[in-house]
C-alpha cells in the first residue's frame, strides 16, 4: 500500500479551508506543506501562521517540507506551529544540526535530495533518518514533469540499506505512480494531480492499492 500526501501548493490560496477539507474528506494520509524562502528556490510560499490555522481545523499528519537556505532556526518555529514531520534539504546550511533538532523535538525527521544530488550524499546520516524525500522535479514550483532518472535513485537508497520511508515529490500522476511504488517509494506527494482530480477519494483509493 502506498500513501498519498496532497501538496497544498497546488490549492487555491483564496480557499485554503476548502483545500484542507478536500484532503480530509478524500482519506489522504498527510498534508504536504511546502515552505519556500525565495532563496533556496526561486519562489515564496507559506509560513507558520497558515500551518497553525490549518491545524486548528483538521486533524491530519502535517508533513512540512522546508525549502530554505538555512532551515535550522525554522525547525522550532514549524514544530510550535504543529508540524508532525519536518524535512530539510541536504544541500541547505546546518543540515545535520537541523536533523538533530527535529529528533530532539520528537518529530519525524526527513532529508530531501534535489534531482542533481546523489543518494550517496546521505550515506553518513541515513541510519538517523525516518524519511528520505526524493525530489522528482527541481524544487520550487508545482506542475512540472517528473524526471525519470529518479527511479534509480529510489532503488539506490534501498540498495544502501535504507529501510525507512521514501517519499517522492514533483510531477507525480497515476501514470508514473506504479513505477515509483515498484522502485521502492512509500509515499507519493501530489499537488496538481490531487487538486485537479474529479474524484479525490478515488485517487486516494488508487494510490492505496499500489
Ligand atoms: C515542489 C514542491 C512540491 C509540489 C509538487 O517544489 O515541493 O510539493 O507542490 O507539485 P506537483 O505535484 O504539481 O508537481
Ligand atoms: Zn514538497
Amino acid at each position: 500500500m502506498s500513501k498519498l500526501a496532497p501538496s497544498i501548493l497546488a490549492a487555491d490560496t483564496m480557499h485554503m479551508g476548502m483545500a484542507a477539507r478536500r484532503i480530509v474528506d478524500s482519506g489522504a494520509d498527510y498534508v504536504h506543506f511546502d515552505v519556500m524562502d525565495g532563496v533556496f528556490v526561486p519562489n515564496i510560499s507559506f509560513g507558520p501562521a497558515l500551518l497553525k490555522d490549518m491545524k486548528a481545523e483538521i486533524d491530519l499528519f502535517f508533513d512540512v517540507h522546508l525549502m530554505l537556505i538555512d532551515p535550522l532556526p525554522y525547525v522550532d518555529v514549524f514544530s510550535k506551529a504543529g508540524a508532525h514531520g519536518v524535512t530539510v534539504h541536504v544541500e541547505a546550511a546546518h543540515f545535520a544540526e537541523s536533523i538533530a533538532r527535529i529528533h530532539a523535538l520528537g518529530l519525524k525527521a526527513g532529508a530531501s535530495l534535489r534531482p542533481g544530488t546523489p543518494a550517496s550524499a546521505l550515506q553518513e546520516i541515513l541510519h538517523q533518518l525516518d524519511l528520505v524525500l526524493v525530489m522528482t522535479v527541481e524544487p520550487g514550483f508545482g506542475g512540472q514533469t517528473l524526471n525519470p532518472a529518479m527511479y534509480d535513485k529510489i532503488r539506490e537508497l534501498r540498495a544502501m540499506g535504507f529501510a525507512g520511508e521514501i517519499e517522492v515529490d514533483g510531477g507525480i500522476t497515476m501514470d508514473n505512480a506504479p513505477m515509483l511504488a515498484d522502485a521502492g517509494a512509500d509515499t507519493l506527494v501530489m499537488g496538481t494531480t490531487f487538486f485537479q482530480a474529479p474524484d479525490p477519494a478515488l485517487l486516494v483509493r488508487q494510490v492505496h492499492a499500489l
Side-chain angles (χ1 to χ4, degrees), residues 72 75 86-88 94-104 109-111 125 128-129 131:
L72 185 55
V75 170
V86 178
T87 296
V88 293
H94 300 124
F95 166 68
E97 294 93 329
S98 299
I99 294 290
R101 186 66 193 147
I102 298 165
H103 280 309
I125 204 159
Q128 295 178 33
L129 300 173
L131 176 144

Side-chain angles (χ1 to χ4, degrees), residues 5-10 32-36 41 43 65 67 89 112 133 135-146 168-173 189-194:
S7 167
I8 55 157
L9 191 66
H32 186 79
F33 196 95
D34 286 308
V35 183
M36 304 178 181
V41 292
N43 195 9
H65 176 195
M67 286 161 274
H89 272 261
S112 185
L133 174 61
M135 288 308 301
T136 40
V137 300
E138 217 30 85
F141 298 93
Q144 304 180 71
T145 303
L146 174 137
V168 282
D169 184 5
I172 300 172
T173 64
V189 175
M190 287 181 178
T192 309
T193 299
F194 180 82

Side-chain angles (χ1 to χ4, degrees), residues 1-158:
M1 178 188 135
S2 301
K3 286 185 274 193
L4 176 54
S7 167
I8 55 157
L9 191 66
D12 176 350
T13 51
M14 286 295 281
H15 298 103
M16 283 315 220
M18 274 167 59
R21 200 34 50 218
R22 179 180 174 99
I23 294 173
V24 174
D25 292 348
S26 72
D29 303 277
Y30 305 156
V31 179
H32 186 79
F33 196 95
D34 286 308
V35 183
M36 304 178 181
D37 64 359
V39 181
F40 185 77
V41 292
N43 195 9
I44 296 178
S45 59
F46 334 105
L50 178 65
L51 175 54
K52 192 166 162 272
D53 289 350
M54 279 195 146
K55 276 274 303 200
E57 290 287 317
I58 63 170
D59 183 24
L60 259 188
F61 186 99
F62 277 82
D63 169 38
V64 175
H65 176 195
L66 297 182
M67 286 161 274
L68 307 177
I69 196 77
D70 185 356
L72 185 55
Y74 291 96
V75 170
D76 280 68
V77 171
F78 282 92
S79 169
K80 222 166 156 191
H84 298 97
V86 178
T87 296
V88 293
H89 272 261
V90 66
E91 307 88 359
H94 300 124
F95 166 68
E97 294 93 329
S98 299
I99 294 290
R101 186 66 193 147
I102 298 165
H103 280 309
L105 291 165
L107 306 178
K108 196 160 121 182
S112 185
L113 299 162
R114 300 184 93 121
T117 305
S120 59
L122 295 178
Q123 187 80 61
E124 301 300 313
I125 204 159
L126 209 49
H127 61 285
Q128 295 178 33
L129 300 173
D130 299 304
L131 176 144
V132 174
L133 174 61
V134 175
M135 288 308 301
T136 40
V137 300
E138 217 30 85
F141 298 93
Q144 304 180 71
T145 303
L146 174 137
N147 177 342
M150 298 303 109
Y151 299 123
D152 278 346
K153 192 185 283 186
I154 300 165
R155 286 191 199 97
E156 211 180 323
L157 284 160
R158 291 300 183 210

Side-chain angles (χ1 to χ4, degrees), residues 156-181:
E156 211 180 323
L157 284 160
R158 291 300 183 210
M160 284 162 72
F162 184 63
E165 182 169 350
I166 297 184
E167 184 175 43
V168 282
D169 184 5
I172 300 172
T173 64
M174 279 317 293
D175 290 333
N176 53 39
M179 267 107 79
L180 291 161

